[in-house]
Amino acid sequence: MVRVITIRASRFMHSHISYARLPVVGDIGTIIEVYTNPESAFEVECSEPDTGITVWLEAMYPDELELVQKAGQ
């Protein structure tokens, strides 16, 4: 699990919202895919803890995230 600690300036300014909302600092999510080309990034899903409904699903850069918990811990 990862926490959003920053969002690169204006990154979602012109994004179409496909889910409930866009990411905000402090959100907790799960890495579901790792991208390495052309730039390292992670596909992160943030879900409602009570319902499991996806709040947002976005590609996030490593400098925007911090590790909260490794899988299985």
Side-chain angles (χ1 to χ4, degrees):
M1 298 185 73
V2 293
R3 177 181 295 114
V4 178
I5 57 170
T6 190
I7 297 173
R8 292 183 182 186
S10 340
R11 205 156 85 69
F12 297 115
M13 194 171 212
H14 301 290
S15 292
H16 172 69
I17 299 174
S18 300
Y19 293 93
R21 64 176 173 80
L22 294 170
V24 296
V25 172
D27 282 347
I28 302 290
T30 303
I31 294 173
I32 59 171
E33 192 164 348
V34 178
Y35 303 115
T36 58
N37 193 6
E39 185 175 357
S40 293
F42 304 102
E43 191 74 16
V44 179
E45 179 183 31
C46 177
S47 303
E48 284 289 336
D50 298 331
T51 64
I53 294 172
T54 300
V55 176
W56 56 261
L57 177 68
E58 295 288 346
M60 303 292 293
Y61 295 107
D63 62 324
E64 296 176 309
L65 304 169
E66 71 177 357
L67 185 63
V68 174
Q69 177 180 346
K70 291 185 180 181
Q73 290 187 342

